[in-house]
Amino acid sequence: MFLPSLTPDKEFDTEKAKILYYDFVKPIKATYYTKNYLRICTILEGKKQVTVNEFENVEYTKDNFAILAPNSKVDLNIGNKTKALVIEVDNTVINQLIERIQIELGYEEIKKVTNYFFLCSVTEEMLGTYKRIVRTLNSQEKGKEFLLDLYIQEMLYEILKFRGAKEIINSVKNARINNILSYINESYHKNIKVADIAKIFGMEEYEFCRYFKTYTCKTPKEYIKELRLKKAKELLQYQSVTETCYEVGYENISYFIKEFKKAFNITPKQYQKTYGNMSRP
């Protein structure tokens, strides 16, 4: 069975995170993709077997917690009744916590750590915070959104004490934007649409554009255009304007000339005459 994401039995949004509660009554096998958030995965009852990105195969219970990278493919296998709680946290929240607080590394009992998956034993401090999150989530208390944000930050604080936790969070952040840039750098000459790129990396278009601009200070369209025109300057030194236009991904020569002149205050033909070394007329 394939699902783009599993539907939670209960979910609750706070200012800093989203809390998802799952109650699996029957055995289930499913494949899903995590979205543009870091996932902290815990078990209330039962156990989970997961394969991450078709490589890491692990099983964990209520004695463990796992961190899943954004945009990961997860094959889930649950054989018995299982209750799970997942907290999705935006990287900006974690980065703000890292920047504001110098955390002394303490815990070392890490079961598994890669660039996209982290599995470790729950400590007493984490267990106490975790119980407060569950209790508050199920309460009718006014202002519980505020309390949940405090508890989630407390839980992140405890997680960041683990050796490797900060590194995996940073490597996840960098790997994700680097993968996106690598894809664009290899595909800029094709008729690629921003919506299609966003879909490939498991994001909505508006979400993808906001994320991309955060790390590059450019919109995806601006980045692609700059890449095409920069490559055009290289190609114009030894091939025609028409060939260059199509090779860098433009479908209309007049539009290509207009964009080139707007960017460099010179037409492609004038650029050739000034800087090029044409091997053909």
Side-chain angles (χ1 to χ4, degrees), residues 4-268:
S5 61
L6 293 171
T7 303
D9 294 274
K10 182 189 296 186
E11 67 179 81
F12 190 83
D13 286 296
T14 73
E15 183 180 342
K16 301 182 184 298
K18 180 190 288 274
I19 302 173
L20 308 168
Y21 169 75
Y22 297 90
D23 188 355
F24 300 105
V25 179
K26 299 178 180 179
I28 181 173
K29 288 186 178 181
T31 298
Y32 68 94
Y33 289 84
T34 60
K35 294 184 179 179
N36 187 31
Y37 303 100
L38 205 70
R39 276 193 157 208
I40 303 170
C41 305
T42 56
I43 301 291
L44 295 168
E45 176 187 328
K47 61 184 177 180
K48 275 187 183 181
Q49 289 181 329
V50 295
T51 302
V52 185
N53 294 334
E54 300 181 348
F55 181 67
E56 293 295 339
N57 191 355
V58 284
E59 179 179 282
Y60 61 102
T61 67
K62 64 181 181 179
D63 296 324
N64 314 120
F65 74 93
I67 298 176
L68 269 175
N71 307 311
S72 295
K73 179 185 177 183
V74 182
D75 296 304
L76 173 69
N77 184 5
I78 293 177
N80 299 309
K81 181 178 174 62
T82 297
K83 296 180 180 180
L85 195 71
V86 173
I87 302 173
E88 292 185 340
V89 188
D90 192 282
N91 272 337
T92 55
V93 176
I94 301 169
N95 291 334
Q96 287 171 2
L97 185 63
I98 292 173
E99 289 171 4
R100 290 175 58 188
I101 304 172
Q102 294 297 318
I103 298 174
E104 182 179 351
L105 295 175
Y107 313 122
E108 298 188 41
E109 189 187 350
I110 298 173
K111 295 180 179 297
K112 187 176 288 290
V113 57
T114 70
N115 283 338
Y116 47 82
F117 188 78
F118 181 100
L119 181 67
C120 203
S121 298
V122 174
T123 65
E124 289 186 13
E125 291 85 356
M126 283 187 63
L127 183 59
T129 305
Y130 183 55
K131 287 180 178 178
R132 287 194 289 275
I133 290 174
V134 175
R135 183 173 64 247
T136 304
L137 179 66
N138 292 322
S139 76
Q140 300 300 319
E141 189 172 359
K142 292 182 179 180
K144 70 178 183 179
E145 179 180 341
F146 171 75
L147 289 173
L148 286 168
D149 273 337
L150 289 179
Y151 297 150
I152 288 168
Q153 288 183 83
E154 184 180 344
M155 190 172 189
L156 287 170
Y157 178 81
E158 292 298 328
I159 288 174
L160 287 168
K161 289 181 181 179
F162 284 88
R163 297 185 185 277
K166 180 178 177 180
E167 286 74 11
I168 187 177
I169 288 168
N170 285 330
S171 68
V172 163
K173 175 188 68 176
N174 295 331
R176 182 172 44 175
I177 189 62
N178 287 339
N179 287 339
I180 291 170
L181 293 176
S182 293
Y183 177 82
I184 293 175
N185 291 343
E186 293 172 1
S187 309
Y188 72 91
H189 58 287
K190 301 176 183 177
N191 184 24
I192 54 174
K193 294 181 173 60
V194 174
D196 294 335
I197 302 172
K199 187 176 181 180
I200 289 170
F201 289 93
M203 306 184 207
E204 297 294 334
E205 184 175 358
Y206 76 91
E207 182 185 26
F208 174 76
C209 291
R210 184 177 59 191
Y211 169 78
F212 190 90
K213 192 168 185 178
T214 298
Y215 289 101
T216 66
C217 297
K218 300 181 180 73
T219 66
K221 288 184 178 179
E222 289 170 341
Y223 183 87
I224 293 170
K225 182 171 75 173
E226 287 185 14
L227 198 61
R228 285 173 170 171
L229 294 175
K230 182 180 178 181
K231 183 64 176 177
K233 289 176 74 173
E234 297 176 14
L235 296 177
L236 283 169
Q237 296 180 40
Y238 58 85
Q239 65 184 34
S240 72
V241 174
T242 301
E243 288 174 320
T244 299
C245 168
Y246 294 129
E247 189 162 332
V248 297
Y250 284 91
E251 298 179 348
N252 184 291
I253 297 176
S254 297
Y255 184 67
F256 166 64
I257 293 171
K258 180 182 177 181
E259 290 289 285
F260 192 94
K261 186 176 181 180
K262 185 178 178 181
F264 306 120
N265 295 316
I266 189 172
T267 67

